[in-house]
Amino acid sequence: MAHLNLVLSSIVLPLLVTPPLSPLLSPASPLAPLLASAVVTPAPTLSRTTLESVLEGYNGTVMAYGQTGTGKTFTLGRLGEEDIAARGIMVRAMEDILAGVSPDADSVSVSYMQLYMETIQDLLVPTNDNIAIVEDPKTGDVSVPGATIVEIRDQSSFLELLRLGEAHRFAANTKLNTESSRSHAILMVHVRRSCKGRNDRENFPAENGNASPLVTSFRPPIVRKSKLVVVDLAGSERIDKSGSDGHTLEEAKSINLSLSALGKCINSLAENNAHVPFRDSKLTRLLRDSFGGTARTSLVVTIGPSPRHRGETASTIMFGQRAMKVENMVKLKEEFDYKSLCRRLDIELDKLIAENERQQKDFEDEVEKIRAEAQSRLAEADKTYMIALENEKAKYEEDYMESVKRLEEQFIANKQIISNDKIGAENHARNMENIPGEEDPPATSSDEVNEIKQLLQNEILLRQSAEDEVNNLKSQLMHWKKLEVAGNAEIIRLRKMLENEANQKEKLEEEIAVLKSQLLQMSFEADETRRSLDRGGSGKVFTGLDSFVSQAKYSQLRDSGNGQKASIAKLFEQVGLQKILSLLESEDADVRVHAVKVVANLAAEEANQEKIVEAGGLTSLMMLLRSSEDETIRRVAAGAIANLAMNETNQELIMTQGGISLLSMTAADAEDPQTLRMVAGAIANLCGNDKLQTRLRGEGGIRALLGMVRCGHPDVLAQVARGIANFAKCESRASTHGNKVGKSLLIDDGALPWIVKNANNEASPIRRHIELALCHLAQHEVNAKDMINEGALWELVRISRDCSREDIRTLAHRTLTSSPTFQTELRRLRIEY
């Protein structure tokens, strides 16, 4: 924060007073000492210093003060249409602001008011004629929440707003000025700029003081919000010189009282009094930040050259000298853009969730592959083991049976031999007894016994060998069982890994839930912060001039009102359009609402419309509008379709895909005025296409528009009136080119009675569109009889005489004078025209 020693750095003598100043500036003049002490600076140079401060993030004020008729409005509000060099400070300031901001990352919006008879009135929406002043009890900032705020994208739209505001400003003819301003005009320009290069990555500390490797985000981007206030004060005047009387006298009293209150505040501030009477007038309350506050203020003092007004000139210069003594403490208006941070965290969260799901899927696939391979190997090992075991068992059983069989045969043979030998021995003994003196034969039984022992020994060896083989098979069986146990242990280990992964997944889900809650809390805190800083200051935001003129009370969603289209564009680049459109089919209702809002904001930019349509966004929006029962989704989807319907190519696609039938059904079912306004806006855009007139009417577009008037809401009626005016204009053009014959389709569908009824509606957007529709219908003789029968002739006469817009007045006059049927009826009614 910088301390500004001299905020009102100079007293400006605007170079707009055409007569020479020599009588006033002569050395002999009593005003010479005052003028000599004043520093004369050109008004554009002085205002540029304040403007540069506004672009740097400081509040600024440029105010014109002086006697009536000395060039205040000329200095500030001149449009310079005929001579560019004659542009006023308002026009020059907006040119510099638009040149100094980025269309993608920054936003500029304006509100235009007048203080008339101590009542704040909206110059952009005249019906809004009693706007309250709100003061923040903590910061003391002053705002006017009821004022209409219009977003500015180019210089031409700003000039159109100035024309509209000047047309509604109060002026009167006095002796001092043929067009004397009877109110104080106040133009507020809100500038919101993003500070780049300050969003380095950092970790958010967890609850235990350690930074989580998952919960990472970006530093919140910093935005600078500043406000430029341009004040065209009504001129101070003396009643005896201005000749004011009646209501003009009351206006002069109110002007002088407010200027007197401003002078008292300046005196108190210049003398450093403890009490400054800011609350004596609404003018001083509005300018509280400009004098003694945080704004950098430039004062434009205008004086006249006539010696007759020497007293007023001296008073004006003394006012400027006192104002130069006031010191302001300028303050940089910076804050964190938490909403942009939340969107980036959402993107980071989506990436983390997608990466976790991918890793989880890969891990599950790998575990399943390992499990299948292990089961296959175990099954193959079991099969091989069982086959080998059966083969070995069969082989050894066969060998054993053969060995037993041989042993049995050998035993039987040996037994038979022993039996035979025994019989032979007995016979031999008997013979020997019978023959004495003969020697015994050699004994063979011992050899046979030895042979049998040898056979038994061999059998024992074979049995031992068989037992060894069985033991070997048992050891192999034990080895395979160990392999089976190892396989089971591997399976158990894999199951434990699966359980650990499941626990980790559960922890990740809990951490994601915590992150979501932190995001919600951060979004809530951001909303609370924004309300505390900009309480009542956001007003009603429009996306452009055409939307504003057709609906003076349109209130856009808060996110776009805070100038976050640049963040939406970054989201578009980082995430991708296909990912955003895929979220429209999410099962989570909150995700669908968020996604359709993002698509609607993207569709508001003409550069994104073709990409959205090519990616299937139009089809997705229409399906969402057809299937969703959520009123918010239906409203935002209809608004996105209305934005896309501003393009002629998209209009044909909408008609081809049954868009009119879908919008008509939505209009019949909906009860919410904002939803009906969006639907009516989409149909109104389609009504402006010459090629779609017959199809639009055949599919019930006109009847749907007329059906929505049941709502009675001014915004809805304004869109209905705009659609009828567009349709009538296209019909008029087609009839002029010879492409259409016969009576208007609007008359066939019964729209004429409603048009006549609302031709003099109090709301200027409705009235203006209806007046245009009547003029276009009356241009063709075939419609004249029906218009006379419905009373439209009287409205045309009124429009030609009383309409506030000259082009509509001229069109109505030309139509009445060129129509034989209308002329005949006027003569019959003895109306001179």
Side-chain angles (χ1 to χ4, degrees):
M1 181 183 298
H3 184 273
L4 188 61
N5 293 325
L6 187 58
V7 177
L8 303 179
S9 58
S10 62
I11 300 177
V12 179
L13 304 180
L15 307 178
L16 308 176
V17 182
T18 54
L21 300 179
S22 56
L24 187 62
L25 301 178
S26 62
S29 173
L31 299 179
L34 293 176
L35 292 174
S37 63
V39 180
V40 180
T41 305
T45 303
L46 180 63
S47 61
R48 183 176 295 276
T49 303
T50 302
L51 180 60
E52 291 174 353
S53 299
V54 172
L55 291 176
E56 293 173 357
Y58 300 94
N59 288 344
T61 303
V62 178
M63 185 175 71
Y65 178 88
Q67 183 186 4
T68 182
T70 54
K72 295 182 298 300
T73 303
F74 188 91
T75 302
L76 297 183
R78 186 72 179 271
L79 299 182
E81 296 175 333
E82 299 177 355
D83 183 8
I84 297 179
R87 292 168 299 166
I89 289 178
M90 290 182 181
V91 179
R92 294 173 185 263
M94 183 54 67
E95 289 178 352
D96 290 346
I97 289 175
L98 293 177
V101 300
S102 172
D104 297 330
D106 306 330
S107 66
V108 180
S109 56
V110 302
S111 57
Y112 201 12
M113 301 163 287
Q114 66 176 352
L115 179 59
Y116 176 72
M117 301 285 287
E118 284 301 303
T119 301
I120 300 177
Q121 302 178 1
D122 200 329
L123 289 175
L124 303 180
V125 182
T127 55
N128 191 9
D129 58 359
N130 191 12
I131 302 175
I133 299 175
V134 177
E135 295 184 15
D136 193 322
K138 295 182 179 179
T139 63
D141 292 340
V142 177
S143 60
V144 279
T148 302
I149 296 181
V150 181
E151 186 170 352
I152 300 299
R153 308 296 296 181
D154 50 52
Q155 186 71 8
S156 60
S157 61
F158 177 67
L159 292 177
E160 185 65 23
L161 287 179
L162 288 183
R163 292 191 195 98
L164 181 63
E166 289 300 323
H168 294 147
R169 190 176 178 187
F170 288 99
N173 183 12
T174 67
K175 292 180 180 181
L176 296 177
N177 193 350
T178 57
E179 193 174 352
S180 175
S181 300
R182 314 308 292 170
S183 63
H184 306 298
I186 303 165
L187 176 71
M188 290 187 179
V189 182
H190 303 272
V191 181
R192 187 179 188 274
R193 304 190 67 191
S194 299
C195 298
K196 298 181 180 179
R198 302 183 64 176
N199 53 347
D200 300 330
R201 293 182 63 91
E202 67 174 4
N203 290 337
F204 284 106
E207 293 181 358
N208 57 0
N210 298 323
S212 172
L214 179 64
V215 186
T216 61
S217 183
F218 295 86
R219 183 189 302 275
I222 296 177
V223 294
R224 290 180 176 177
K225 293 183 178 181
S226 56
K227 178 174 64 176
L228 174 64
V229 181
V230 183
V231 184
D232 180 13
L233 295 175
S236 59
E237 61 183 51
R238 292 186 178 180
I239 306 304
D240 56 346
K241 292 183 179 181
S242 64
S244 301
D245 58 358
H247 185 66
T248 308
L249 178 60
E250 296 299 324
E251 293 175 339
K253 291 179 180 179
S254 178
I255 292 170
N256 289 338
L257 284 174
S258 60
L259 294 177
S260 175
L262 177 60
K264 292 179 181 179
C265 292
I266 296 296
N267 291 338
S268 298
L269 290 170
E271 296 172 1
N272 293 324
N273 290 343
H275 173 68
V276 181
F278 283 115
R279 305 188 67 85
D280 287 357
S281 172
K282 288 188 177 180
L283 176 62
T284 53
R285 291 180 65 192
L286 285 173
L287 299 178
R288 184 171 186 173
D289 190 51
S290 303
F291 294 99
T294 61
R296 191 183 301 275
T297 305
S298 297
L299 178 63
V300 180
V301 173
T302 61
I303 60 175
S306 174
R308 177 170 174 260
H309 304 300
R310 184 174 300 165
E312 288 83 349
T313 300
S315 175
T316 300
I317 295 175
M318 291 178 66
F319 174 85
Q321 286 182 326
R322 289 192 299 269
M324 289 173 65
K325 299 178 182 179
V326 177
E327 295 181 355
N328 286 6
M329 293 290 293
V330 295
K331 179 181 179 182
L332 185 63
K333 305 292 184 178
E334 281 187 347
E335 63 181 42
F336 290 114
D337 189 359
Y338 288 103
K339 289 186 178 293
S340 176
L341 171 63
C342 289
R343 283 192 296 274
R344 282 202 294 273
L345 288 177
D346 284 335
I347 296 171
E348 188 74 12
L349 179 61
D350 292 339
K351 290 181 180 178
L352 290 174
I353 293 175
E355 180 66 19
N356 178 63
E357 291 177 351
R358 185 187 64 79
Q359 293 180 357
Q360 182 69 19
K361 183 178 179 181
D362 292 344
F363 177 78
E364 291 177 355
D365 293 342
E366 186 68 21
V367 170
E368 188 65 28
K369 181 179 177 181
I370 294 173
R371 179 186 294 171
E373 184 179 355
Q375 290 179 351
S376 175
R377 291 174 62 183
L378 286 175
E380 184 179 357
D382 287 342
K383 183 178 179 181
T384 303
Y385 167 73
M386 292 304 296
I387 292 174
L389 184 62
E390 290 294 332
N391 292 337
E392 291 293 333
K393 184 178 180 181
K395 178 180 177 182
Y396 285 107
E397 283 182 354
E398 183 179 356
D399 293 343
Y400 178 75
M401 293 303 295
E402 290 179 357
S403 299
V404 170
K405 184 177 179 181
R406 286 197 304 269
L407 289 173
E408 289 178 350
E409 292 176 352
Q410 185 67 32
F411 180 76
I412 292 171
N414 292 335
K415 187 177 180 180
Q416 184 66 34
I417 292 172
I418 294 171
S419 176
N420 293 334
D421 290 341
K422 186 177 180 180
I423 293 172
E426 289 177 354
N427 293 330
H428 180 71
R430 282 194 304 269
N431 292 330
M432 290 300 292
E433 289 177 355
N434 295 327
I435 304 175
E438 188 175 346
E439 294 180 359
D440 293 336
T444 60
S445 60
S446 61
D447 296 333
E448 292 177 354
V449 170
N450 292 332
E451 185 178 357
I452 292 172
K453 288 181 178 180
Q454 185 65 36
L455 291 174
L456 288 174
Q457 186 68 28
N458 293 338
E459 185 64 27
I460 291 171
L461 293 175
L462 289 174
R463 186 180 294 275
Q464 185 69 31
S465 176
E467 290 178 355
D468 293 339
E469 290 292 334
V470 170
N471 292 332
N472 185 24
L473 291 176
K474 287 182 178 181
S475 64
Q476 292 184 8
L477 179 61
M478 293 297 295
H479 175 68
W480 288 113
K481 286 185 177 181
K482 290 180 179 179
L483 290 179
E484 182 179 5
V485 171
N488 292 333
E490 181 68 17
I491 292 174
I492 294 172
R493 186 180 67 82
L494 292 176
R495 286 178 179 174
K496 289 182 178 179
M497 291 177 63
L498 284 175
E499 292 177 357
N500 293 334
E501 287 297 328
N503 294 333
Q504 185 177 1
K505 180 180 179 181
E506 184 177 355
K507 291 180 180 179
L508 288 175
E509 291 176 350
E510 293 177 355
E511 194 167 2
I512 289 171
V514 171
L515 182 57
K516 285 184 177 180
S517 65
Q518 291 178 354
L519 287 175
L520 293 175
Q521 180 65 23
M522 187 176 296
S523 178
F524 174 77
E525 292 176 355
D527 290 339
E528 290 296 325
T529 304
R530 184 184 57 76
R531 292 192 188 99
S532 65
L533 293 177
D534 299 328
R535 182 169 298 166
S538 60
K540 293 172 280 186
V541 180
F542 295 81
T543 58
L545 177 64
D546 292 337
S547 175
F548 161 72
V549 173
S550 64
Q551 46 182 0
K553 293 184 178 178
Y554 171 60
S555 176
Q556 201 181 40
L557 294 176
R558 187 164 49 199
D559 290 341
S560 62
N562 289 334
Q564 296 175 347
K565 292 183 179 178
S567 300
I568 293 295
K570 291 181 181 177
L571 177 65
F572 177 38
E573 295 174 358
Q574 294 175 0
V575 179
L577 184 58
Q578 290 292 345
K579 178 67 177 296
I580 297 174
L581 294 178
S582 66
L583 294 178
L584 295 176
E585 302 176 1
S586 173
E587 296 180 357
D588 192 339
D590 293 336
V591 174
R592 289 200 305 273
V593 171
H594 183 69
V596 75
K597 287 182 179 180
V598 173
V599 174
N601 279 281
L602 290 173
E605 297 291 337
E606 185 176 357
N608 299 330
Q609 293 179 357
E610 182 178 356
K611 298 177 183 178
I612 293 174
V613 174
E614 289 178 354
L618 177 59
T619 304
S620 299
L621 288 170
M622 295 181 67
M623 291 180 60
L624 198 62
L625 183 61
R626 181 181 292 107
S627 60
S628 178
E629 297 180 357
D630 188 280
E631 194 64 33
T632 301
I633 294 178
R634 285 156 55 93
R635 178 174 68 254
V636 180
I641 294 173
N643 288 336
L644 294 176
M646 297 176 68
N647 182 282
E648 184 175 351
T649 303
N650 297 340
Q651 291 173 356
E652 296 180 358
L653 290 175
I654 292 173
M655 293 294 294
T656 303
Q657 297 183 20
I660 282 295
S661 301
L662 176 60
L663 291 171
S664 300
M665 288 189 297
T666 305
D669 297 339
E671 296 295 337
D672 180 42
Q674 298 304 320
T675 303
L676 291 174
R677 175 171 59 82
M678 295 297 183
V679 174
I683 298 177
N685 289 336
L686 295 174
C687 286
N689 193 319
D690 297 333
K691 303 176 183 178
L692 306 178
Q693 296 285 293
T694 305
R695 290 175 57 189
L696 188 143
R697 186 250 184 174
E699 295 182 15
I702 301 301
R703 289 190 293 273
L705 277 177
L706 295 176
M708 283 185 280
V709 303
R710 72 182 187 277
C711 174
H713 196 280
D715 291 347
V716 179
L717 298 182
Q719 293 296 336
V720 172
R722 183 168 70 90
I724 291 176
N726 288 343
F727 197 94
K729 182 178 180 180
C730 292
E731 275 194 332
S732 175
R733 190 160 48 232
S735 299
T736 303
H737 295 162
N739 298 329
K740 182 185 182 303
V741 295
K743 192 166 53 176
S744 170
L745 298 178
L746 290 172
I747 296 178
D748 290 341
D749 278 357
L752 187 57
W754 185 82
I755 294 175
V756 174
K757 180 180 178 182
N758 289 272
N760 197 18
N761 195 289
E762 293 181 357
S764 59
I766 301 174
R767 183 175 65 254
R768 179 173 64 84
H769 289 304
I770 293 299
E771 289 173 349
L772 282 172
L774 278 175
C775 291
H776 287 305
L777 288 175
Q779 284 184 328
H780 301 283
E781 196 68 19
V782 69
N783 299 329
K785 185 176 180 181
D786 292 285
M787 296 185 69
I788 291 173
N789 293 336
E790 292 294 338
L793 178 59
W794 298 103
E795 295 299 332
L796 284 171
V797 173
R798 179 192 61 77
I799 293 169
S800 67
R801 294 175 177 175
D802 302 334
C803 182
S804 60
R805 288 186 51 170
E806 184 178 356
D807 55 340
I808 300 178
R809 249 190 352 259
T810 303
L811 180 60
H813 178 76
R814 186 171 65 247
T815 301
L816 288 173
T817 55
S818 62
S819 172
T821 305
F822 287 151
Q823 287 295 317
T824 302
E825 182 66 15
L826 290 172
R827 285 193 295 270
R828 187 182 69 82
L829 297 174
R830 297 179 181 178
I831 298 175
E832 294 183 2
Y833 193 82

